[in-house]
Amino acid sequence: MISNLKVTLRICKVDCATPIHMKPDGKRFEQACTVKFNKDTEHVMLFNFRPATCICKLMVNGELHKLELVKGKANDEDSNGRTYKTLFTTKGFEITKAGKRQEILIVIELENGVYMKVTLQCKVYAPGDKSHAQWGDKLSMIDMDCSLDPAHNYVTILKEKYL
């Protein structure tokens, strides 16, 4: 099993042409950055693992998600990577009140019963709200440098960069 792992998470609206946005929040909340979503909107999540790693199971907010292995250029085969794709919806999410944040919990089960937990701090706006949901920087990816202690069955995120 690997001991160092680089994970890149990309999120876009389901048309793959419309980005989502984020904004730095400093130390006002649990995490330094907030990812912005519109309620009742479909998204694509792409997870790239380097070195190539098998994902056995993916859960988002406790719901099991179907994974598809991405073939071709997006898979980064040249860099010994593996990319998985899933659909994610904000249907059923509550609109976030001013000054508050919500969390999206992503739990990934890797090969050999190893788990990785990613928590996204987010704010959910009304469907179609562009003025607030698109204020801030376009989020192209979240890069995570991770490690796995062979004595444990979980991945530790050492460093996160919102790009």
Side-chain angles (χ1 to χ4, degrees):
M1 183 54 130
I2 45 124
S3 60
N4 290 313
L5 185 64
K6 180 138 181 124
V7 180
T8 301
L9 170 58
R10 296 177 190 272
I11 306 171
C12 59
K13 292 192 178 171
V14 81
D15 63 7
C16 288
T18 308
I20 61 170
H21 290 73
M22 55 79 62
K23 71 175 198 131
D25 271 327
K27 298 184 185 212
R28 295 185 324 137
F29 299 100
E30 187 78 21
Q31 295 183 16
C33 290
T34 295
V35 180
K36 298 177 162 206
F37 292 100
N38 288 101
K39 180 179 171 64
D40 300 331
T41 306
E42 295 282 326
H43 298 83
V44 172
M45 286 185 169
L46 293 166
F47 297 86
N48 178 261
F49 286 81
R50 293 174 309 279
T53 305
C54 285
I55 297 181
C56 301
K57 198 183 294 184
L58 171 72
M59 297 188 76
V60 180
N61 284 347
E63 180 181 322
L64 186 62
H65 280 250
K66 181 180 175 191
L67 287 166
E68 175 185 331
L69 182 62
V70 177
K71 305 279 187 202
K73 187 172 182 150
N75 202 10
D76 278 340
E77 288 295 346
D78 295 334
S79 64
N80 192 30
R82 183 173 289 157
T83 301
Y84 292 89
K85 172 182 173 180
T86 193
L87 295 178
F88 162 73
T89 183
T90 53
K91 187 174 184 168
F93 278 54
E94 295 295 321
I95 293 173
T96 311
K97 295 185 186 302
K100 302 289 183 186
R101 299 293 182 266
Q102 297 183 48
E103 288 187 345
I104 296 174
L105 178 62
I106 301 168
V107 178
I108 303 166
E109 182 182 343
L110 305 175
E111 55 196 348
N112 299 322
V114 173
Y115 289 87
M116 178 176 180
K117 179 178 97 168
V118 178
T119 304
L120 296 179
Q121 178 174 281
C122 70
K123 186 151 184 165
V124 179
Y125 296 94
D129 178 327
K130 292 184 179 177
S131 61
H132 293 96
Q134 293 181 0
W135 185 86
D137 299 318
K138 288 181 183 175
L139 177 63
S140 87
M141 71 182 78
I142 303 170
D143 263 340
M144 295 169 269
D145 293 330
C146 308
S147 74
L148 172 66
D149 181 341
H152 297 97
N153 67 338
Y154 57 87
V155 172
T156 302
I157 299 172
L158 304 171
K159 184 177 172 186
E160 264 182 336
K161 280 197 261 179
Y162 287 70
L163 306 168

